[in-house]
Amino acid sequence: MTSKEIILGLCLLSLVLSMILMVIIRYISRVLVWILTILVILGSLGGTGVLWWLYAKQRKSPKETVIPEQLQIAEDNLRALLIYAISATVFTVILFLIMLVMRKRVALTIALFHVAGKVFIHLPLLVCQPFWTFFALVLFWVYWIMTLLFLGTTGTAVQNEEGFVEFKVSGPLQYMWWYHGVGLIWISEFILACQQMTVAGAVVTYYFTRDKRNLPFTPILASVNRLIRYHLGTVAKGSFIITLVKIPRMILMYIHSQLKGKENACARCMLKSCICCLWCLEKCLNYLNQNAYTATAINSTNFCTSAKDAFVILVENALRVAAINTVGDFMLFLGKVLIVCSTGLAGIMLLNYQQDYTVWVLPLIIVCLFAFLVAHCFLSIYEMVVDVLFLCFAIDTKYNDGSPGREFYMDKVLMEFVENSRKAMKEAGKGGAADARELKPMASGTSSA
């Protein structure tokens, strides 16, 4: 309580830093990606070299100087260094090969990040999207808690032996707890899916508008209008699929917590494996749903058709998707770490200035958690925009080839990437196979965007 002004000020600082970082990424994306790539390669090479150097140094050291009691320990250490060095070598080789294969795909990631920065300039209300989503979630959670309190006082009031009143629930009402719990998960996922659909619709409108001066006055509100009029069923179905996966995982986690210390090793391993598999499935479905919402915004198809078309596009462009998700997510993760560290450092300096504060841990923990949450909310919107732009780019490269009457919708940065790719293919003698590598249409007919 004595440091509440500092906590509020630092939370506001993390909010401002998150908004500034979203603008800065656009201008430093090219340099930042290559710097991270070079640092990762140099770090892996340096770590591998150090491990082999330590192994060679310890192997050459005379064993006569080692007392007999420590001889076995020295041999174990030497064997462990050899294993670490071999593992690091294998990791470095695999990493180098992955970087070699994806070096051309990194250029697409850089271009998409650059265009995403322009999207936020033309659609500034995207920055406010996390606020509206959080506000909607808070309203729903308040309603859910109030309803939960009403459910807790339903049934017949009975006085127990201790003189307190208990409510005995019978009939269908006793199953309302399950219904209410499922509703919490489904509606929360529904609200988050509405955010994804809104962002997808606004970015699709931006991408497929040739003259950006002719954009709607408020593409975000136009996207919300289309969502409410046409796509609520799509969002409800996608969020329900996530709910079907999340509920069994939560049940297994509850069983695991109740049986902690009682189950055998085999049962514990099976429970953890099932929980891990369901978690992976949930993440994959979340990513597929997000791309399905983008396909719906582009082609105005139903959820199943959009999910199928989005899945085909993602499979056909697996390397590009991997590059965007690995390089892009790593960049955004570093951005989150940067905001948390900057906010924490400012907190240490401010708390150090106030000499009457003796306990720093709790204020710093609160500030750092809030900073990470704010950075995650804002940068996840940035990541969402990049994913939507990628699908729009895939559709654009299929329907258009840059010839008169079939001009690209894409930004000049993405157009340069396409031209450079074509030149590289022609120089490699693969110009005739260029059409075979074009992306297939996600849906027949003309795009409604």
Side-chain angles (χ1 to χ4, degrees):
M1 290 300 296
T2 55
S3 59
K4 59 182 180 297
E5 295 85 1
I6 294 179
I7 293 177
L8 291 176
L10 291 173
C11 291
L12 181 61
L13 175 64
S14 65
L15 184 65
V16 174
L17 289 176
S18 299
M19 299 175 70
I20 293 175
L21 184 62
M22 294 176 68
V23 179
I24 292 178
I25 288 178
R26 172 197 168 189
Y27 297 100
I28 66 172
S29 57
R30 186 183 302 273
V31 179
L32 184 60
V33 168
W34 289 117
I35 288 176
L36 290 177
T37 303
I38 294 173
L39 287 178
V40 169
I41 293 177
L42 291 179
S44 59
L45 288 174
T48 304
V50 168
L51 286 173
W52 281 113
W53 177 74
L54 291 174
Y55 171 74
K57 181 180 179 181
Q58 189 164 342
R59 186 177 181 181
K60 291 180 180 179
S61 61
K63 297 182 180 180
E64 292 79 8
T65 59
V66 181
I67 59 178
E69 290 80 6
Q70 295 184 353
L71 183 61
Q72 184 62 36
I73 298 177
E75 292 179 355
D76 293 340
N77 292 336
L78 183 65
R79 190 180 303 109
L81 279 174
L82 178 61
I83 295 174
Y84 294 153
I86 294 175
S87 302
T89 304
V90 173
F91 173 79
T92 302
V93 171
I94 294 175
L95 180 64
F96 183 77
L97 292 176
I98 292 175
M99 293 291 185
L100 191 65
V101 172
M102 290 188 174
R103 69 187 188 281
K104 296 181 179 179
R105 276 81 183 179
V106 172
L108 177 59
T109 306
I110 297 171
L112 288 174
F113 269 75
H114 188 78
V115 177
K118 293 185 177 180
V119 171
F120 281 95
I121 293 177
H122 287 88
L123 308 177
L125 287 181
L126 278 177
V127 180
C128 302
Q129 194 61 37
F131 293 108
W132 312 132
T133 305
F134 180 72
F135 182 69
L137 285 172
V138 168
L139 287 180
F140 168 67
W141 290 337
V142 169
Y143 162 78
W144 189 85
I145 292 174
M146 291 179 61
T147 307
L148 182 67
L149 294 177
F150 282 117
L151 284 176
T153 55
T154 54
T156 306
V158 179
Q159 188 173 8
N160 59 14
E161 298 177 354
E162 299 177 356
F164 295 102
V165 176
E166 294 181 351
F167 293 89
K168 300 295 183 180
V169 183
S170 60
L173 281 177
Q174 59 184 333
Y175 302 107
M176 286 294 293
W177 294 89
W178 293 98
Y179 172 80
H180 198 52
V182 172
L184 172 65
I185 301 174
W186 190 1
I187 302 301
S188 298
E189 293 293 334
F190 177 82
I191 294 173
L192 294 175
C194 286
Q195 172 183 266
Q196 296 174 354
M197 192 73 183
T198 301
V199 173
V203 176
V204 165
T205 301
Y206 167 85
Y207 187 97
F208 288 104
T209 301
R210 293 190 186 277
D211 189 358
K212 306 308 179 187
R213 293 173 296 181
N214 296 330
L215 282 171
F217 179 68
T218 53
I220 293 290
L221 295 181
S223 180
V224 172
N225 181 46
R226 289 195 298 270
L227 167 65
I228 295 175
R229 293 181 62 183
Y230 304 113
H231 302 311
L232 284 179
T234 298
V235 173
K237 185 180 293 185
S239 57
F240 181 68
I241 291 175
I242 300 298
T243 304
L244 290 180
V245 178
K246 182 168 287 189
I247 290 177
R249 182 171 67 87
M250 296 179 69
I251 292 175
L252 289 178
M253 291 175 63
Y254 175 77
I255 294 174
H256 181 263
S257 64
Q258 293 298 313
L259 297 179
K260 195 170 184 179
K262 300 178 182 179
E263 77 280 14
N264 55 32
C266 182
R268 182 170 60 252
C269 180
M270 291 180 62
L271 272 176
K272 290 184 177 180
S273 300
C274 292
I275 293 172
C276 181
C277 291
L278 288 174
W279 182 83
C280 294
L281 178 61
E282 180 184 337
K283 294 300 179 182
C284 293
L285 288 176
N286 265 320
Y287 184 72
L288 181 60
N289 280 3
Q290 180 180 326
N291 287 278
Y293 300 145
T294 304
T296 299
I298 296 174
N299 297 317
S300 294
T301 50
N302 58 49
F303 175 80
C304 295
T305 303
S306 299
K308 180 194 69 175
D309 297 332
F311 180 76
V312 171
I313 283 288
L314 295 176
V315 171
E316 291 178 348
N317 297 270
L319 289 178
R320 285 178 172 177
V321 172
I324 292 171
N325 286 334
T326 52
V327 179
D329 290 354
F330 187 60
M331 284 180 58
L332 295 179
F333 173 75
L334 289 181
K336 298 173 188 178
V337 173
L338 176 63
I339 292 174
V340 172
C341 293
S342 301
T343 307
L345 179 62
I348 292 175
M349 295 175 64
L350 289 175
L351 291 172
N352 185 48
Y353 180 75
Q354 299 291 337
Q355 298 294 334
D356 53 334
Y357 298 155
T358 57
V359 180
W360 292 6
V361 177
L362 186 58
L364 286 178
I365 290 176
I366 293 174
V367 167
C368 290
L369 288 177
F370 184 83
F372 183 83
L373 178 63
V374 170
H376 175 73
C377 290
F378 279 92
L379 294 181
S380 63
I381 296 293
Y382 202 101
E383 180 183 1
M384 203 180 303
V385 170
V386 171
D387 291 336
V388 174
L389 286 173
F390 173 72
L391 274 189
C392 294
F393 170 78
I395 295 299
D396 197 10
T397 53
K398 172 57 188 179
Y399 284 114
N400 306 303
D401 56 7
S403 60
R406 297 181 64 187
E407 293 84 1
F408 288 120
Y409 286 92
M410 66 183 67
D411 189 86
K412 291 182 180 180
V413 178
L414 291 173
M415 205 173 297
E416 291 177 0
F417 168 79
V418 173
E419 293 299 327
N420 293 335
S421 299
R422 288 178 176 177
K423 289 179 182 179
M425 291 181 67
K426 288 181 181 179
E427 292 175 358
K430 299 180 181 180
D435 294 336
R437 297 189 61 177
E438 290 289 347
L439 304 177
K440 296 182 179 180
M442 296 178 66
S444 59
T446 306
S447 171
S448 61

